[in-house]
Amino acid sequence: MYTTSNWETAWIRSGHNNEVTGVAYSPNGDQIVTGSWDCTVRVWDVVTGECLYIFIGNIDWVRDVAYSPQGNVVASRSDDGTVRLWDVKTGSSRSVISGCGYIYAMAFSPSGDRIAIGSEDSRIGLWDVASGECRVILVGHSREVVSVRYSSQGDLLVSSSYDGAVRIWEVGTGACCHILIAVGIPEIQSMKFSPQGDQIVSGGSDRMVRLWDVETGECRHTMSGHTEPVRKVLYSPKGDHIASVSADKTVRLWSVGSGASRRISNHHSGSVSGLSYSPKRNQIASCSFDSAIQLWDQETGFHNQTLNGHSGWVWRISYSPSEDQLVSCGADSTVRLWDVESGACRRVLTGHTDTIFDFAFSPKGNQIASASMDATVRLWNVEAGECHHVLTGHSELVWFVTYSPQGNQVASCSRDGTVKLWDVETGTCQHTLAGHFTDIERIAYSPDGNQIASASKDKTVRLWDVKTGTCSHLLIGHLEAVTRVMYSPRGDQVASASRYDKTVRLWDTESGECRNT
């Protein structure tokens, strides 16, 4: 518990013997209720920090807890498929709501006499709090209902579902009066801002490439042609066309203006995992699980060259800032530097002891940072091919690494739930950004280098101050793990994507508010 005047700890209490997964204040602010993976619910006195009640009855993890608006009832949502209603004054169980399968969401009505339950059976039940009986069932969604909320007057209910729809219901009649969204977008696996920042392109498991208007949130084009999930999407440097790669072993070029497919290239024999543009050479490079790298003409889409050398999956490729070299990394624990003109492998950087997931060039192009499953980050001199720093400190595999725009700092994110900021000259850790509860899959510097955004499996995005290492904004809205994050070219917006809740969200970096979904 913290005091808001200076954010010092007011008190710390232990009692749960496993992770605490839910917390809520009572309406008058004198109590806190917590739910835990130890299957219990506890009510605490805010002033003294004493535990007033322990509610025992759930037989699986408690995911969420909430007070009724009047503060006399606590609801707990558990993995055992129940919502339990508890009497705050006596500490006894009032009723158990079950029979809906797994329950994803719950919400009290403003009057406190009803509680809405959203579950895996695609239905919403409106339950009487006093009797514990279901009064109304709302039918319309075709998949799991993951969120429910009452309007302030209590006459309307809004719900969202994995079917991609947001529905508004009249509570009195049970009728659905509006379907706000019905896009049915499957898992989003990749997204990118256009160079101008006015568009976003996304690719997903439905085999489609979609082009979105940042201002309105509307889909401008839905581009079909791939026969397997789209792994990566990328704008051309001018922003006039898009390249996409897919598990169907092809690379496709699309016109931004018309949405039409310009060219299909299919020289890979395995799922295509990455691509990179070279504007100077008018060239595209693609890499694949077939361990090969292919070079293509950007305008015609014709195949130019095949680079062989890796002995396992190639995870990532990128042209150097000068575009005279191509760099790749993969499952064989090596980083390889290729001469673009001749196709020869210039250097093989060895030292990591497990799969390398990512690498990044310094802005000047004289250094490379690599991130590995061996839980380390290595900094390499490009010219000499030597490792001059091994950055240790993460306790789990490192997913992603990036240089600051100024090139004096490297940021890495890990399965251990932290972001670490490293000094490039000394190799020392300047800050450990801790706050996420689990894996951080992607990070991004703001264009001015003063802020970092992190995307986590805990369903949140955090914005961090680079100088102080403190979290300036916690962005909450995604319903599942957040897998991608990036800044707009101006730095005034952050885009985040979840391949699991199938949404892209746009956030204001100044206020932390969600502008568009």
Side-chain angles (χ1 to χ4, degrees):
M1 173 69 70
Y2 298 89
T3 57
T4 56
S5 58
N6 54 15
W7 293 107
E8 292 183 352
T9 303
W11 51 261
I12 302 173
R13 288 293 183 269
S14 60
H16 290 293
N17 57 28
N18 208 325
E19 291 189 32
V20 179
T21 52
V23 62
Y25 269 101
S26 62
N28 60 10
D30 61 353
Q31 290 180 355
I32 286 176
V33 62
T34 56
S36 169
W37 284 3
D38 66 7
C39 306
T40 70
V41 177
R42 290 174 179 257
V43 176
W44 309 82
D45 185 283
V46 168
V47 176
T48 65
E50 294 180 3
C51 180
L52 304 177
Y53 295 110
I54 304 174
F55 300 154
I56 299 174
N58 291 110
I59 58 174
D60 208 336
W61 294 348
V62 177
R63 291 286 184 179
D64 194 17
V65 289
Y67 275 92
S68 65
Q70 293 73 28
N72 60 327
V73 177
V74 162
S76 62
R77 178 175 64 86
S78 169
D79 277 4
D80 63 12
T82 68
V83 167
R84 290 176 180 264
L85 303 179
W86 308 88
D87 190 290
V88 173
K89 290 184 178 180
T90 65
S92 60
S93 176
R94 296 180 58 157
S95 56
V96 180
I97 297 171
S98 62
C100 315
Y102 187 84
I103 297 173
Y104 284 89
M106 62 180 184
F108 278 104
S109 64
S111 61
D113 61 338
R114 295 273 181 98
I115 186 167
I117 304 293
S119 61
E120 68 176 349
D121 65 3
S122 76
R123 301 186 300 173
I124 302 160
L126 306 184
W127 298 76
D128 186 86
V129 171
S131 66
E133 296 178 355
C134 185
R135 300 299 188 191
V136 181
I137 296 178
L138 310 181
V139 179
H141 286 294
S142 60
R143 288 196 61 188
E144 301 95 318
V145 179
V146 293
S147 178
V148 289
R149 291 289 185 274
Y150 278 93
S151 64
S152 58
Q153 292 79 21
D155 56 336
L156 297 175
L157 184 83
V158 63
S159 62
S160 65
S161 164
Y162 283 159
D163 65 7
V166 174
R167 290 175 176 263
I168 298 178
W169 310 83
E170 291 180 352
V171 173
T173 63
C176 179
C177 50
H178 293 293
I179 304 176
L180 299 184
I181 305 171
V183 293
I185 302 171
E187 294 179 2
I188 296 167
Q189 300 198 3
S190 180
M191 67 168 185
K192 291 289 185 294
F193 268 105
S194 65
Q196 296 78 21
D198 60 338
Q199 295 176 351
I200 287 176
V201 62
S202 65
S205 62
D206 65 345
R207 308 180 296 277
M208 302 294 180
V209 176
R210 286 182 167 86
L211 190 62
W212 305 88
D213 186 283
V214 169
E215 188 67 28
T216 65
E218 294 179 355
C219 183
R220 290 184 176 178
H221 295 300
T222 299
M223 295 167 269
S224 62
H226 284 296
T227 59
E228 294 291 339
V230 179
R231 301 295 190 198
K232 300 282 183 183
V233 289
L234 196 63
Y235 274 94
S236 64
K238 294 180 181 178
D240 58 339
H241 69 267
I242 292 162
S244 61
V245 299
S246 165
D248 66 8
K249 308 174 187 177
T250 68
V251 178
R252 285 178 177 261
L253 300 181
W254 311 86
S255 170
V256 169
S258 66
S261 180
R262 295 178 57 182
R263 176 66 64 177
I264 308 166
S265 304
N266 56 358
H267 279 66
H268 284 292
S269 60
S271 176
V272 187
S273 51
L275 76 164
S276 181
Y277 271 101
S278 170
K280 291 180 183 177
R281 296 180 175 275
N282 210 31
Q283 196 175 68
I284 297 174
S286 59
C287 62
S288 168
F289 289 175
D290 63 8
S291 77
I293 297 165
Q294 307 288 357
L295 304 184
W296 317 85
D297 185 278
Q298 179 179 313
E299 291 300 322
T300 65
F302 292 139
H303 179 255
N304 291 336
Q305 202 170 8
T306 301
L307 311 182
N308 291 309
H310 281 287
S311 58
W313 293 356
V314 184
W315 286 108
R316 174 161 151 67
I317 54 170
S318 178
Y319 285 92
S320 64
S322 60
E323 299 181 29
D324 61 333
Q325 293 188 87
L326 187 71
V327 180
S328 58
C329 70
D332 61 5
S333 307
T334 68
V335 176
R336 291 176 179 262
L337 282 67
W338 308 84
D339 183 277
V340 175
E341 197 66 45
S342 66
C345 183
R346 285 182 176 178
R347 297 192 185 282
V348 181
L349 310 183
T350 60
H352 285 295
T353 59
D354 213 327
T355 298
I356 300 172
F357 289 117
D358 192 43
F359 66 84
F361 268 105
S362 63
K364 293 180 180 179
N366 61 331
Q367 285 185 354
I368 290 174
S370 56
S372 170
M373 189 181 281
D374 65 12
T376 69
V377 174
R378 287 177 176 257
L379 304 185
W380 309 84
N381 180 283
V382 171
E383 189 62 33
E386 297 175 351
C387 177
H388 58 90
H389 286 304
V390 181
L391 312 181
T392 60
H394 285 296
S395 60
E396 297 279 353
L397 63 86
V398 185
W399 288 117
F400 191 79
V401 65
T402 183
Y403 278 87
S404 65
Q406 295 76 21
N408 62 329
Q409 192 178 70
V410 163
S412 58
C413 64
S414 166
R415 182 186 279 176
D416 65 13
T418 68
V419 177
K420 288 183 179 285
L421 307 183
W422 311 87
D423 184 278
V424 169
E425 283 296 317
T426 64
T428 57
C429 182
Q430 297 174 314
H431 291 295
T432 298
L433 312 183
H436 288 293
F437 300 121
T438 184
D439 289 30
I440 302 171
E441 293 201 0
R442 196 57 57 97
I443 50 177
Y445 275 98
S446 61
D448 61 11
N450 293 327
Q451 199 176 69
I452 283 181
S454 57
S456 171
K457 283 187 176 178
D458 68 7
K459 309 177 188 178
T460 69
V461 175
R462 286 177 178 261
L463 305 185
W464 307 85
D465 185 281
V466 170
K467 280 188 177 180
T468 65
T470 57
C471 180
S472 56
H473 290 296
L474 173 61
L475 312 182
I476 299 174
H478 283 289
L479 302 174
E480 295 293 338
V482 188
T483 49
R484 294 290 183 270
V485 67
M486 66 184 66
Y487 281 85
S488 64
R490 294 194 303 269
D492 59 332
Q493 293 187 84
V494 162
S496 61
S498 168
R499 62 183 297 182
Y500 304 109
D501 74 6
K502 308 161 191 176
T503 65
V504 175
R505 289 177 177 264
L506 297 179
W507 310 85
D508 187 284
T509 56
E510 188 69 29
S511 66
E513 295 179 355
C514 184
R515 287 183 174 179
N516 231 323
T517 302

